[in-house]
Amino acid sequence: MDTLAFGLKADDFQVVGNSLEALYHLSKAHLEALSRGQPGLGPNAQLGGGQGTFAGAMLKLLFHRLVYENYPSSLIDMASSALLALMRSDEAAFREVGVGIINSQAAPQSREALTATLSRLASVTAASDFSRKSRRVFGSEFQGLIISI
């Protein structure tokens, strides 16, 4: 996990891009293994010390970078694919992140708009597989979320 977190925090766009791609494929492989009744990441899916799940930690880190830091727009599409897989892996962490983003908005109308946007994103996530078309639909909704913030 530390290696992926390091890569996601890097200043080098290529390193960040490669880390996003690795995170997407790792999360996707985990979900596919679970769907076949295999353990996926197994014990590595849970972090020690009550820190939650691997997917949840990566989801929180990536959302923080995208929402609160200056993240290159050229990587948002790649980030959306990784987020799709992470959100499917840990829906509770996604809800927690969403509530945090909504609560960070001062204006009530901003909170309402974000609530609606996050609800659409959650609906798209639930209906998505990992096909190119599904990732594009999710990416479009995700970019709408970033713009609305």
Side-chain angles (χ1 to χ4, degrees):
M1 182 178 122
D2 291 340
T3 302
L4 284 171
F6 174 80
L8 292 174
K9 294 176 184 177
D11 292 329
D12 183 328
F13 294 157
Q14 186 173 2
V15 171
V16 175
N18 289 339
S19 298
L20 288 169
E21 188 173 344
L23 187 55
Y24 166 73
H25 288 289
L26 182 64
S27 299
K28 179 182 170 190
H30 170 67
L31 286 170
E32 288 173 346
L34 291 177
S35 73
R36 292 188 304 271
Q38 298 170 340
L41 290 173
N44 295 313
Q46 293 293 323
L47 302 178
Q51 295 177 344
T53 65
F54 167 80
M58 292 289 103
L59 182 70
K60 290 172 186 175
L61 172 64
L62 195 48
F63 256 107
H64 186 272
R65 295 266 351 242
L66 291 164
V67 173
Y68 300 110
E69 297 178 24
N70 188 15
Y71 208 73
S73 60
S74 61
L75 293 174
I76 289 178
D77 188 44
M78 201 178 278
S80 70
S81 291
L83 281 171
L84 173 60
L86 291 168
M87 290 164 64
R88 298 265 323 265
S89 294
D90 192 342
E91 294 174 15
F94 168 62
R95 284 191 297 276
E96 182 183 331
V97 168
V99 167
I101 292 170
I102 291 166
N103 290 338
S104 72
Q105 302 299 305
Q109 56 270 50
S110 295
R111 287 194 299 272
E112 290 173 14
L114 274 174
T115 300
T117 302
L118 284 166
S119 292
R120 281 193 312 275
L121 192 60
S123 295
V124 169
T125 302
S128 293
D129 54 17
F130 293 109
S131 68
R132 180 174 289 196
K133 180 180 177 184
S134 289
R135 289 192 327 258
R136 284 188 179 163
V137 169
F138 177 84
S140 176
E141 287 293 328
F142 179 69
Q143 287 183 359
L145 171 68
I146 296 298
I147 290 168
S148 68
I149 296 173

